[in-house]
Amino acid sequence: MMKICVIGGGSTYTPELIEGFINIHEQIQLKELWLLDLKQNDHKFGIVADFARRMVQKANCGVALHSTFTPQEAIEGADFIIHQFRPGGLQGRIADETIPLRYGLIGQETTGMGGMACALRAFPILEQYVELAKHMSNQAWIINFSNPSGMLTEFIRNYLQYERTIGLCNYPINVLRSLQNLFGCQQQEIFVKYYGLNHLSWIEQVMIQGIDRTADLWQSFHLNPKNIPDAPFPLEFLEQLGLLPNPYLKYFYMTDTMLQQQCEAQQAQGTRGEIVQAIETELLNLYADPSLDHKPPQLEQRGGALYSTAAAELIHDLVTGARTTHIINTRNNGAIQDFPDNYIMEIPVTIIQQGTEPLMLGNSHKAVSGLIVTIKNFERLVIEGYLQKNEDLIRQAMLIHPLGPRLSHVEPLWQALKTANAGFMDGY
Ligand code: NAD
Ligand code: G6P
Ligand code: MN
């Protein structure tokens, strides 16, 4: 008898999760589904929760759906806790996207300085929920989608010391599905040497039925989430690098192009967060229609394609011990030989009953290992700066980040971020 709790249940993505849970309810013996959100967002939460309830009722699957503002009620006895909350809401995201731009830096919700601000808002919220998970849940698996997913997973697993933590992103499942389509094969026929951090990963090798097909990727593999401008990596660059970078790496490898694109977009139609605000209004109008009882196609305008499928399949496979491969954020534990065991990395693992085993992938490539170490150090400086309320560590983190400011802008940017995040990032 399983209980799943979704923190940030008022997300407009929730109907997709519900669809995923309905599909697996029988195999995992799902009995209770709890949606938790903030009282201050009761209007949006009410619309989403009512719609979710209609979906569950239509499926007639014997699952009870509850919505609540009380964390204890939602977390008590839970077997899975999904983090889907957005700290500071879309307003916070828009600030993350716009403030760095004023300093000539990439403004992105998960990458660079925007991602840092988002993480700093998330840490105190996570401390509160993880404490409840430790004491009240049924040794629940925490499945963290909240962004920046990799850094938050580092925080929960390595600093709050919560063992059953998995960080998820929808990009890896899209990679696996795209490879299946490209090569016309089953997922179990694919071996992929995929590694890095969340939104900072590379594919170094793809074997299909034991044959190396990596060179076929440069021309034929195109995967770009809806939220990132579709400026492709130049073909000759991919051939030279010999690795396929995550689309978020355009912010690192093509900073000038992406910055120009962001500045133009901000003038023309606003940042991605502002576009998402409009999509959200459209979705909520649809969800509020009492005759709607299935996920509308308009949800596909969001960047999180297949993200609920990733969650539902992972939960299913953890409960059943399916021995399938999933690419998740978890401790390295030898997967990439030249990185420490306790690095939280985005890597393939085999899912066993109530556990995961990393695939041993050998060493990392010299062209990318340095960047991985730099960003991991950045993550840890930010986390330790938060825990010790030591601004110097945060200034160091900003300075070592390739998308961060040079010295003259470190202080003004840090002060601007603190001012914009008053109430979420206090005590420094
Ligand atoms: P959203 O703005 O709709 O936020 C979801 C809900 O979180 C809202 O209803 C909000 O009220 C609630 N919330 C905010 N603070 C909370 C708190 N302290 N406690 C409980 N609830 C709280 O966001 P969204 O667009 O649905 O995205 C949700 C999160 O999932 C974001 O962090 C987003 O970046 C992330 N996401 C991640 C992936 C991935 O690949 N990792 C994919 C899709 C979405
Ligand atoms: C991508 C990322 C997610 C991110 C989402 C944003 O797919 O993997 O981590 O949350 O897109 O999409 P949005 O529609 O909110 O811009
Ligand atoms: Mn992601």
Side-chain angles (χ1 to χ4, degrees):
M1 295 299 164
M2 289 284 160
K3 169 172 171 174
I4 299 179
C5 157
V6 182
I7 305 183
S11 160
T12 47
Y13 282 118
T14 291
E16 214 169 276
L17 268 184
I18 302 291
E19 194 182 71
F21 296 151
I22 290 171
N23 288 339
I24 59 165
H25 79 93
E26 214 170 330
Q27 295 99 312
I28 69 161
Q29 298 201 321
L30 180 61
K31 277 288 157 287
E32 289 180 52
L33 199 47
W34 285 75
L35 305 180
L36 171 70
D37 212 288
L38 297 177
K39 180 87 184 79
Q40 72 212 49
N41 286 341
D42 60 345
H43 178 67
K44 179 182 164 195
F45 187 38
I47 293 174
V48 173
D50 286 349
F51 177 36
R53 202 165 282 115
R54 292 198 298 279
M55 288 179 75
V56 170
Q57 273 161 6
K58 187 188 175 201
N60 198 17
C61 55
V63 175
L65 187 128
H66 305 266
S67 50
T68 180
F69 300 118
T70 309
Q72 288 79 354
E73 214 181 9
I75 290 171
E76 186 176 20
D79 300 286
F80 290 92
I81 300 171
I82 298 183
H83 289 169
Q84 188 190 236
F85 62 89
R86 184 188 289 286
L90 275 177
Q91 285 308 328
R93 171 177 180 174
I94 293 165
D96 297 342
E97 291 169 337
T98 50
I99 293 172
L101 280 182
R102 287 194 230 141
Y103 297 88
L105 303 172
I106 291 291
Q108 218 285 325
E109 59 157 346
T110 66
T111 295
M113 298 299 97
M116 179 184 83
C118 186
L120 288 167
R121 289 195 300 275
F123 296 147
I125 301 170
L126 289 172
E127 283 178 314
Q128 174 205 336
Y129 289 135
V130 172
E131 191 62 18
L132 291 176
K134 280 181 185 167
H135 295 111
M136 300 186 75
S137 79
N138 186 26
Q139 290 188 295
W141 284 96
I142 292 180
I143 298 182
N144 182 79
F145 269 112
S146 289
N147 270 317
S149 184
M151 201 187 328
L152 301 195
T153 305
E154 179 74 34
F155 180 67
I156 302 168
R157 177 65 190 90
N158 284 335
Y159 290 83
L160 301 182
Q161 297 295 343
Y162 193 88
E163 266 181 47
R164 288 188 156 190
T165 308
I166 291 176
L168 271 194
C169 174
N170 63 322
Y171 177 70
I173 189 172
N174 279 283
V175 165
L176 294 173
R177 295 289 154 97
S178 299
L179 289 174
Q180 266 177 263
N181 290 337
L182 181 61
F183 294 110
C185 63
Q186 302 294 313
Q187 195 182 310
Q188 56 273 21
E189 296 171 315
I190 303 172
F191 164 83
V192 60
K193 182 171 177 182
Y194 174 115
Y195 63 92
L197 310 182
N198 176 238
H199 294 184
L200 193 97
S201 60
W202 292 264
I203 298 173
E204 190 179 313
Q205 191 185 38
V206 173
M207 308 276 283
I208 307 291
Q209 297 164 337
I211 299 165
D212 192 329
R213 304 295 297 270
T214 317
D216 294 352
L217 297 179
W218 321 140
Q219 275 278 21
S220 319
F221 189 88
H222 300 291
L223 188 54
N224 196 70
K226 295 253 165 48
N227 56 310
I228 298 184
D230 201 3
F233 289 116
L235 180 58
E236 57 276 22
F237 163 70
L238 295 178
E239 287 171 347
Q240 286 155 10
L241 183 65
L243 299 152
L244 193 85
N246 185 303
Y248 279 83
L249 280 156
K250 287 184 217 170
Y251 295 110
F252 292 79
Y253 292 140
M254 298 163 57
T255 313
D256 41 3
T257 313
M258 298 304 270
L259 195 55
Q260 193 188 344
Q261 200 285 335
Q262 284 194 335
C263 292
E264 285 168 10
Q266 195 195 15
Q267 301 292 322
Q269 70 267 39
T271 66
R272 176 68 189 169
E274 289 168 291
I275 294 168
V276 167
Q277 262 179 337
I279 300 174
E280 191 175 282
T281 305
E282 183 190 353
L283 287 172
L284 287 173
N285 280 334
L286 292 166
Y287 294 178
D289 175 353
S291 65
L292 185 78
D293 56 10
H294 58 278
K295 182 187 79 176
Q298 283 87 341
L299 191 51
E300 284 160 25
Q301 299 170 75
R302 296 297 302 275
L306 288 183
Y307 115 106
S308 49
T309 309
E313 289 187 355
L314 179 64
I315 293 175
H316 173 273
D317 292 355
L318 279 167
V319 171
T320 60
R323 299 205 70 86
T324 44
T325 302
H326 290 240
I327 298 176
I328 63 171
N329 288 265
T330 186
R331 276 199 177 166
N332 178 41
N333 282 342
I336 302 294
Q337 223 171 355
D338 49 339
F339 289 130
D341 281 351
N342 68 7
Y343 265 31
I344 295 297
M345 298 191 67
E346 196 162 273
I347 45 171
V349 299
T350 304
I351 306 294
I352 55 170
Q353 195 133 30
Q354 300 294 342
T356 66
E357 288 170 353
L359 269 63
M360 297 298 140
L361 298 177
N363 286 321
S364 65
H365 194 292
K366 285 190 192 66
V368 304
S369 56
L371 185 53
I372 294 174
V373 172
T374 298
I375 299 301
K376 183 53 74 186
N377 286 341
F378 158 82
E379 291 181 356
R380 290 181 168 182
L381 285 167
V382 174
I383 292 171
E384 288 163 28
Y386 163 74
L387 288 172
Q388 299 168 27
K389 292 292 177 294
N390 181 343
E391 294 178 288
D392 285 344
L393 298 181
I394 294 177
R395 293 182 183 109
Q396 290 166 19
M398 294 169 78
L399 201 54
I400 66 165
H401 200 300
L403 303 180
R406 295 311 89 205
L407 196 51
S408 61
H409 281 159
V410 169
E411 199 51 27
L413 173 58
W414 172 231
Q415 294 306 328
L417 292 174
K418 275 199 297 184
T419 306
N421 288 289
F424 287 96
M425 256 168 61
D426 298 328
Y428 295 94

